[in-house]
Amino acid sequence: MAALDAKRAFDRVNHLKLFLRMCDIGVPAHVIKLIMTWYSNITMIVKWDGSYSNSCSVKCGVQQRGVLSPLLFNVYLNVLVKSLEISSLGCHLHGEYIGCLVYADDIILLSASVVNLQRMLDACHTVGANMDIIVQYSKIYAIYFTVGKFCDNTIDNLLIGNARIRWCK
């Protein structure tokens, strides 16, 4: 099992890629246009030491406390889950894919094999880079479980990109 944490994931959602994903899954055009209009009119102003900046447009991210934000983020991130499911890497239970569990910006990868877990990490790194999702390397852990007698075998190191992942028992 590997536990990943996406760095500032809600802030990094690329609006154009989000809208394209919504088209891919069949969201009605009028709903996409409404959300596009809503997101294209978001601006921000920075206050620093009592002074205010000029306003500027926000081109990425979903609002942290927005009612639709978790749903929009799931639509955005689902391409990662689907790519892992299509590859058939990871665990299955009664014919259902459970190799990638996602809650907000936390991702759990489940595999019965270290080799396949590495392949899943490689896929996460590749798809994540394409989606502007960056994994926080300091918050990645791999955990192994043994069945029956305790096994003290040496397990190969896992990598995501060039970062080594720490093993936990």
Side-chain angles (χ1 to χ4, degrees):
M1 176 178 113
L4 313 175
D5 182 67
K7 186 177 184 179
R8 301 187 56 91
F10 275 59
D11 297 334
R12 299 187 62 84
V13 172
N14 180 302
H15 291 167
L16 179 59
K17 291 179 183 180
L18 171 63
F19 303 142
L20 291 172
R21 304 245 186 280
M22 292 170 73
C23 289
D24 291 343
I25 64 169
V27 174
H30 66 278
V31 173
I32 296 172
K33 287 179 185 176
L34 176 68
I35 295 172
M36 285 175 70
T37 301
W38 180 24
Y39 272 90
S40 67
N41 289 310
I42 297 175
T43 59
M44 70 173 192
I45 296 174
V46 177
K47 179 182 177 184
W48 185 18
D49 199 25
S51 298
Y52 294 90
S53 70
N54 294 328
S55 67
C56 56
S57 296
V58 176
K59 302 287 184 196
C60 63
V62 291
Q63 296 174 339
Q64 293 285 338
R65 291 175 186 86
V67 174
L68 282 179
S69 294
L71 177 63
L72 295 174
F73 184 73
N74 284 344
V75 166
Y76 188 71
L77 194 60
N78 197 46
V79 72
L80 171 65
V81 177
K82 286 295 179 189
S83 71
L84 289 169
E85 183 176 5
I86 289 167
S87 74
S88 203
L89 295 170
C91 294
H92 293 77
L93 182 64
H94 300 293
E96 293 296 318
Y97 182 72
I98 60 163
C100 181
L101 308 174
V102 178
Y103 181 77
D105 60 352
D106 297 313
I107 302 166
I108 303 291
L109 303 176
L110 301 172
S111 176
S113 125
V114 175
V115 171
N116 282 345
L117 185 57
Q118 180 60 64
R119 290 178 182 148
M120 293 173 79
L121 289 164
D122 294 340
C124 285
H125 182 71
T126 301
V127 174
N130 185 41
M131 297 171 47
D132 306 315
I133 299 293
I134 297 172
V135 174
Q136 292 195 73
Y137 298 120
S138 63
K139 292 186 176 183
I140 301 173
Y141 292 94
I143 304 165
Y144 67 92
F145 304 92
T146 57
V147 179
K149 289 174 71 175
F150 177 74
C151 177
D152 198 19
N153 293 343
T154 303
I155 300 176
D156 292 337
N157 288 325
L158 295 175
L159 300 171
I160 188 159
N162 292 326
R164 188 172 159 263
I165 297 174
R166 293 178 292 250
W167 279 103
C168 301
K169 289 186 181 180

